[in-house]
Amino acid sequence: MKISDAYVIVTSPGRNFVTLKIVTESGTYGIGDATLNGREMAVVAYLEEHVIPALIGRDASRIEDIWHYLYRGAYWRRGPVTMAAVSAVDLALWDIKAKAAGMPLYQLLGGKSRERVMTYAHCTGRDIEGCLAEVEKHVKLGYRAVRVQAGVPGIPTIYGVAKHEGERYEPADAELPAEHVWSTEKYLNHVPKLFAAVRERFGDELHVLHDVHHRLTPIEAARLGKAVEPYHLFWLEDCVPAENQESFRLIRQHTTTPLAVGEVFNSIHDYRELIENQWIDYIRTPLSHGGGITHVRRIADLAGLYHVRTGFHGPTDLSPVCLGAAVHFDTWVPNFGIQEHMPHTPETDAVFPHDYRFEDGHFLVGEAPGHGVDIDETLAKQYPYKRASLPVNRLEDGTLWHW
Ligand SMILES: O=C(O)[C@H](O)[C@@H](O)[C@H](O)[C@H](O)CO
Ligand SMILES: [Mg+2]
């Protein structure tokens, strides 16, 4: 199982994706997702300059050892670029191990804990009515859970809302960062009305989620959590920037609204206080940013001890490779909560043939050996890299704010 070759493929079928392919002497290969939205080429350089040369000749079956070799061995631990690179290696090696065993990945992890994986869809509107129309559409498609985001009167552009009704929203929408304007006051006054309208129209059973995208202070988040309690959200996501884990103590003291955190985290250490103090309910770190299966499994196990469940990040800026591996992980992990689902474009799906299926609001895992996602390298070449940046956010007086 010696690694004989490894290389990076960058492709942009509508948006940029970075894929690592690892090939063994026997010809069995695996692929991993190394996409870090808006910072793609930093991970490419990290892999090509520092990781790939050290991988050649190693035994691909020693996943645990290679993980620590890359993590401890780098000396410079953690961080999104390092961990995206480590994740890609880890996902590719698990793919190889499962293929060598002739098993779908979920079998290697411990087998099925459930038959299907509940997902949530994004429903966005320029106003509440527009958002309700999207919810209606997604409920008809079979979704049991929806994330609702609507424009706020007086704020010209807002996170998570597509430019035109019915379109997907794209965070990395310009070559250099677009500048958005933010008003916490306008948002806090408006957003509870959105949940009231959703409950009024769709009743109590639909799972309703919302992403604050790190824009509030702890006491503002506490106010929002309290205000929306009557609408019993499935979760309120990233209500404050979470570098200071202690902030969540205050939020938790004030509200019973469940809290999800961690799409920008990449290590168990980002979570330790949040989980051990039971300040959150869902962990969001995707397999492609949190050190792959080897490390995210450890986070999920720690979380399980404290009744915290998984709710992995799944926007279009994670490739089908990450999503495919996530469907295996979600099928196995005992403390599963939900999986985010933002459908990829047909162009992206064609570049990454896969065997996970979407049906009636759920993902169904495939039975092909490995994680079940491949890359069509010839097709990938037709879509060259294009620089794309996430926006920045400013308060109305021009102060740079959290995005
Ligand atoms: O909950 C989500 O899906 C996220 O907040 C995304 O929309 C991120 O903003 C995006 O992945 C950044 O690249
Ligand atoms: Mg989010």
Side-chain angles (χ1 to χ4, degrees), residues 120 122 263 284 286 311-318 322-323 326 339-344 363:
Y120 71 89
H122 283 214
E263 69 181 43
R284 297 268 296 140
F312 290 160
H313 196 204
T316 40
D317 49 86
L318 305 175
C322 177
L323 184 59
Q339 169 68 49
E340 181 175 10
H341 178 218
M342 249 180 120
H344 288 109
F363 277 125

Side-chain angles (χ1 to χ4, degrees), residues 276-291:
E276 288 177 357
N277 290 298
Q278 305 187 62
W279 288 334
I280 60 168
D281 302 279
Y282 296 93
I283 54 171
R284 297 268 296 140
T285 306
L287 297 173
S288 60
H289 294 164

Side-chain angles (χ1 to χ4, degrees), residues 20-181:
L20 173 69
K21 182 162 180 172
I22 299 182
V23 187
T24 63
E25 269 175 355
S26 66
T28 305
Y29 67 87
I31 59 173
D33 181 16
T35 312
L36 189 61
N37 201 14
R39 292 292 182 271
E40 295 88 353
M41 300 314 274
V43 187
V44 175
Y46 193 105
L47 283 166
E48 290 184 343
E49 184 60 25
H50 308 293
V51 174
I52 290 175
L55 278 182
I56 308 298
R58 275 176 205 286
D59 179 353
S61 66
R62 297 183 61 170
I63 301 179
E64 193 69 49
D65 182 66
I66 290 177
W67 195 94
H68 291 280
Y69 179 82
L70 294 175
Y71 181 82
R72 297 181 186 176
Y75 185 60
W76 313 107
R77 298 178 182 203
R78 304 162 62 180
V81 175
T82 299
M83 294 305 277
V86 174
S87 304
V89 174
D90 192 78
L91 289 174
L93 294 180
W94 277 99
D95 193 23
I96 290 172
K97 194 181 273 300
K99 282 177 176 170
M103 288 180 185
L105 177 59
Y106 75 84
Q107 290 289 10
L108 276 194
L109 295 173
K112 281 189 182 179
S113 297
R114 57 197 53 79
E115 302 309 317
R116 56 187 195 163
V117 167
M118 181 168 71
T119 69
Y120 71 89
H122 283 214
C123 298
T124 82
R126 299 193 68 70
D127 54 21
I128 292 179
E129 262 316 306
C131 182
L132 295 181
E134 282 295 299
V135 175
E136 174 127 33
K137 193 163 103 192
H138 286 87
V139 167
K140 283 194 182 135
L141 286 171
Y143 285 97
R144 313 291 200 280
V146 292
R147 183 186 100 154
V148 294
Q149 313 285 143
V152 174
I155 307 185
T157 45
I158 191 161
Y159 156 75
V161 174
K163 285 199 173 120
H164 305 104
E165 300 291 344
E167 279 184 0
R168 294 180 179 84
Y169 97 96
E170 170 54 66
D173 64 350
E175 196 188 341
L176 291 173
E179 304 242 338
H180 291 180
V181 179

Side-chain angles (χ1 to χ4, degrees), residues 3 8 14 26 37 43 96-97 105 178 202 236 253 268 281 302 305 359 381 401:
I3 297 174
V8 176
S26 66
N37 201 14
V43 187
I96 290 172
K97 194 181 273 300
L105 177 59
F202 298 96
L236 193 62
Q253 279 166 351
I268 198 165
D281 302 279
L302 175 69
L305 296 179
E359 204 178 277
K381 283 201 181 79
W401 197 241

